[in-house]
Amino acid sequence: MGIGTARWYRPDADLELLGLEDESGSDSEHDPGAERERFERAREQAREDLEGERDRARERIGEEESEILGAHIQFLGDPQIESGISEGIKEGHGAEHAVQRAFEDPISQFEGMDGRMAERADDLRDVRDRLLRVLLNRERTDLGSLPEGTVLLADRLTPSDTVQLDPEQVRGFVTATGGRTSHAAIFARSLAIPAVVGVGDALAEIEAGEEIAVDGEGERIVVSPEAATRERVEGREAVEIRSERAKTADGEEIEIVANVGRPTEVGGALDRGADGIGLYRTEFLFLDRDAPPGEDEQRETYADALDAFPEGRVVVRTLDVGGDKPIPYLDLPEEENPFLGERGIRRSLDPDSQLFETQLRALCRAAGSDKGELCVMVPLVAAIEEFEDARKRFEAVLADLDRKGVEHARPAFGVMIETPAAALMAEELADRADFLSIGTNDLTQYVMAADRGNGRVAGLHDSQYPAVLRAIRHTVEGARGTDAWVGMCGEMAGDPALTELLVGLGLDELSTSAVTIPEVKAEVEEIDRERARDLAERALGASTRAEVSDIVTRSEVQNT
Ligand code: PEP
Ligand code: MG
């Protein structure tokens, strides 16, 4: 989270003012030779600038991300665009006009595509505007020197905009367009700048100078936040990072681990004091490429995570696609209700059984006795039969590796509790699994019948409803008396205001995004378990969300 003063960034408006959006073509009086030369010079300068930015990005953000700018360099020499520009210049247009026209078709082709391909349209606009600025001698707004305490608002931010942002100056940014996987969002995560993208037209109502709180984790912004929100955000920044395990005031260790998606996030989790990884969302390894990663590549990625936590646990979730997580090469079907369709384990059992097997093999091979403990977790289980089937395939992989003499070890095998069915059958699942991890993002969506991505029902998608708390309690109770441990890896686990309640409900492990780990650890240290249990009992007895919230807030006030 970050808090600061709103500042608008409107680069498109700059260019519109120059009349470039005008399609009249009335400028056909130019000397083609001179315009060609102007264009070549501009392209050379744009290439030099981009190369410099790419090198800086490599240092600040990472090799992989910097290649987004490498792709921009390639666009500068794209033959289709180049021939469009030559044609325009030959017809007697100025270089600016020719550039603008030549980019039109490629941009609209990408706009018509799905998912990540559509984001390429932004990359092309970025390259086009860069060329135009050089041609027009327009300085770009220097996003690298904004006043300290800025929350940047924009219709969209391109990769080359985002890469300039300095986390020391920028407390957050909010864009009207874009998704969680847009380049701006990816860069924001790497730079640890709180960001909310894709908020829609409502953003235009915010005026420069207003105070804004940006909650990147909760995916929301608060305009003119109240004092309590402000104190929470400012308090967060000051919490000390501890690498030792957190213990409640009465001496019980609670494991505080991290949710990660990309290999580059593992180091960040370690830096924020995580005891291990409680949720490795492996779909990110499968996104943004044309074919799935092979067994060896996956083995290496999982082994790297284990090496980072030799004393801890690393919980890797098997591929969870479908619903809101499309992967182009898997050819996912169009579904009326994707969240109730072929998601998670359903696809892994069939039709993606081959991918599932490869992933299980890579995981068993990555597990080793001299490293941290590897745990494999299957998502979106609704029926005992599904878990048993998954377990059977896991055993078959282990038997095959044994038979072939391939080096491996047996990871723990557990299940996510994300459906009401799984919560209701927790006892039977705990008998069969080594651990349970509650995914409150989906569990809340299914218990409350409120789509987690639909702003119109966001009020109902709230884990503090008593029905959700009771599903959590039922899960914990189900595992009591078995050897299975119970953790939580949904967003709820990362809300420090709820840590006492969750410890009181009996969770052994909380997994949250790396940024909130120090705060959650600090909360654990303050907890008296007897009081936490009492708080949980009262919350479980509540009839409404308002009552739960009241009980939690009163307990917070008493504790301070
Ligand atoms: C969840 O559903 O709570 C969860 C952690 O998984 P994801 O958010 O990846 O669906
Ligand atoms: Mg989920």
Side-chain angles (χ1 to χ4, degrees):
M1 284 180 87
I3 212 161
T5 309
R7 281 196 174 71
W8 270 99
Y9 172 55
R10 292 193 171 99
D12 297 345
D14 279 4
L15 293 173
E16 271 165 42
L17 283 179
L18 291 163
L20 285 165
E21 299 289 301
D22 177 13
E23 288 296 306
S24 66
S26 59
D27 65 343
S28 332
E29 297 298 328
H30 294 85
D31 166 11
E35 291 306 305
R36 175 93 222 164
E37 229 171 86
R38 283 185 64 229
F39 164 67
E40 288 299 349
R41 269 202 307 272
R43 179 160 67 169
E44 209 33 55
Q45 156 121 43
R47 190 191 308 279
E48 267 174 38
D49 292 350
L50 266 168
E51 282 168 355
E53 281 174 31
R54 182 193 53 192
D55 295 346
R56 273 196 301 283
R58 191 177 288 145
E59 276 164 35
R60 293 184 62 206
I61 305 184
E63 178 79 32
E64 206 180 320
E65 287 86 351
S66 71
E67 274 319 307
I68 294 171
L69 295 172
H72 285 205
I73 297 174
Q74 284 178 358
F75 281 138
L76 280 177
D78 179 273
Q80 183 194 350
I81 295 171
E82 174 141 21
S83 80
I85 294 171
S86 299
E87 212 172 284
I89 289 176
K90 265 190 230 142
E91 286 169 16
H93 293 294
E96 293 85 347
H97 188 104
V99 164
Q100 189 166 27
R101 216 178 59 172
F103 274 81
E104 267 167 22
D105 281 351
I107 288 176
S108 55
Q109 278 159 16
F110 278 120
E111 274 174 340
M113 296 182 191
D114 293 333
R116 298 199 64 87
M117 292 312 272
E119 283 160 18
R120 290 275 172 222
D122 275 347
D123 289 314
L124 280 177
R125 274 192 211 96
D126 199 7
V127 176
R128 176 197 62 191
D129 293 350
R130 180 184 292 273
L131 279 170
L132 291 175
R133 281 200 183 83
V134 179
L135 282 166
L136 292 158
N137 279 327
R138 294 284 295 198
E139 284 291 319
R140 268 170 73 179
T141 311
D142 186 2
L143 292 177
S145 52
L146 291 166
E148 215 183 296
T150 293
V151 167
L152 197 66
L153 311 182
D155 187 34
R156 62 165 58 89
L157 283 180
T158 64
S160 45
D161 292 332
T162 319
V163 77
Q164 296 178 63
L165 301 177
D166 179 349
E168 299 282 318
Q169 300 158 354
V170 179
R171 298 276 176 267
F173 70 76
V174 190
T175 61
T177 60
R180 291 177 63 90
T181 58
S182 63
H183 293 144
I186 292 171
F187 281 8
R189 273 191 286 274
S190 305
L191 291 165
I193 295 178
V196 178
V197 298
V199 300
D201 297 340
L203 187 66
E205 286 164 30
I206 301 177
E207 287 181 22
E210 287 191 88
E211 193 174 44
I212 315 269
V214 183
D215 177 359
E217 267 303 304
E219 295 183 28
R220 62 196 177 129
I221 56 174
V222 183
V223 182
S224 308
E226 289 170 11
T229 310
R230 203 175 309 126
E231 275 167 27
R232 250 184 79 201
V233 176
E234 281 155 5
R236 269 184 187 207
E237 284 161 5
V239 177
E240 183 200 341
I241 296 172
R242 312 150 198 248
S243 52
E244 64 275 18
R245 303 230 160 181
K247 274 193 192 141
T248 58
D250 56 318
E252 161 100 350
E253 250 183 31
I254 306 286
E255 236 182 299
I256 309 298
V257 287
N259 291 349
V260 300
R262 301 157 60 80
T264 46
E265 289 170 41
V266 173
L270 203 57
D271 292 347
R272 303 290 292 174
D275 302 330
I277 291 173
L279 169 65
Y280 200 131
R281 289 182 163 105
T282 58
E283 2 350 309
F284 288 94
L285 310 177
F286 290 72
L287 288 172
D288 217 4
R289 49 197 299 162
D290 303 326
E295 185 180 316
D296 289 342
E297 182 185 335
Q298 288 191 58
R299 189 202 63 79
E300 213 168 293
T301 305
Y302 307 141
D304 284 349
L306 279 170
D307 286 342
F309 294 99
E311 311 283 318
R313 263 190 205 133
V314 172
V315 182
V316 178
R317 176 173 74 187
T318 59
L319 186 60
D320 181 15
V321 287
D324 60 341
K325 296 174 184 144
I327 293 189
Y329 55 82
L330 285 186
D331 202 15
L332 300 171
E334 284 280 326
E335 294 178 304
E336 286 261 322
N337 285 306
F339 278 117
L340 301 182
E342 228 174 34
R343 288 191 64 187
I345 193 66
R346 302 172 184 183
R347 278 197 70 89
S348 292
L349 296 177
D350 180 43
D352 297 335
S353 57
Q354 196 52 53
L355 278 187
F356 189 47
E357 189 185 313
T358 305
Q359 189 168 30
L360 291 175
R361 285 178 67 88
L363 284 162
C364 296
R365 286 178 54 206
S369 50
D370 58 336
K371 300 189 188 132
E373 183 191 351
L374 179 65
C375 303
V376 176
M377 174 162 83
V378 288
L380 215 87
V381 166
I384 299 295
E385 290 86 333
E386 290 172 319
F387 185 69
E388 286 192 327
D389 195 353
R391 175 131 221 164
K392 219 184 283 167
R393 296 180 198 214
F394 173 66
E395 295 297 342
V397 163
L398 283 167
D400 187 57
L401 291 170
D402 264 339
R403 207 169 34 244
K404 295 190 173 132
V406 179
E407 195 184 326
H408 69 283
R410 171 183 283 272
F413 197 73
V415 56
M416 277 190 91
I417 304 294
E418 293 176 288
T419 63
L424 288 168
M425 299 301 284
E427 196 176 334
E428 288 75 3
L429 283 168
D431 277 338
R432 291 161 171 83
D434 298 320
F435 65 94
L436 313 180
S437 182
I438 304 174
T440 48
N441 307 338
D442 277 314
L443 185 62
T444 305
Q445 139 164 293
Y446 296 122
V447 166
M448 300 303 296
D451 181 343
R452 61 194 272 187
N454 181 345
R456 300 176 73 89
V457 293
L460 276 173
H461 188 274
D462 186 328
S463 308
Q464 287 188 60
Y465 274 102
V468 181
L469 298 188
R470 292 180 195 190
I472 295 167
R473 167 46 77 75
H474 194 83
T475 305
V476 175
E477 288 293 322
R480 204 181 291 281
T482 72
D483 290 335
W485 55 266
V486 186
M488 176 180 284
C489 59
E491 293 308 309
M492 186 185 197
D495 185 346
L498 301 177
T499 308
E500 188 185 14
L501 173 64
L502 298 179
V503 170
L505 283 168
L507 289 150
D508 303 306
E509 177 242 43
L510 298 175
S511 189
T512 161
S513 78
V515 274
T516 50
I517 284 180
E519 247 188 302
V520 174
K521 279 196 166 180
E523 285 293 329
V524 168
E525 301 277 335
E526 303 292 319
I527 291 173
D528 173 273
R529 265 181 313 153
E530 202 46 50
R531 284 184 50 181
R533 277 188 215 114
D534 180 59
L535 165 67
E537 283 314 319
R538 279 180 288 128
L540 286 163
S543 312
T544 64
R545 190 212 167 277
E547 279 173 51
V548 171
S549 165
D550 196 41
I551 290 165
V552 170
T553 313
R554 260 189 287 132
S555 174
E556 253 189 314
V557 171
Q558 269 173 17
N559 289 345
T560 46

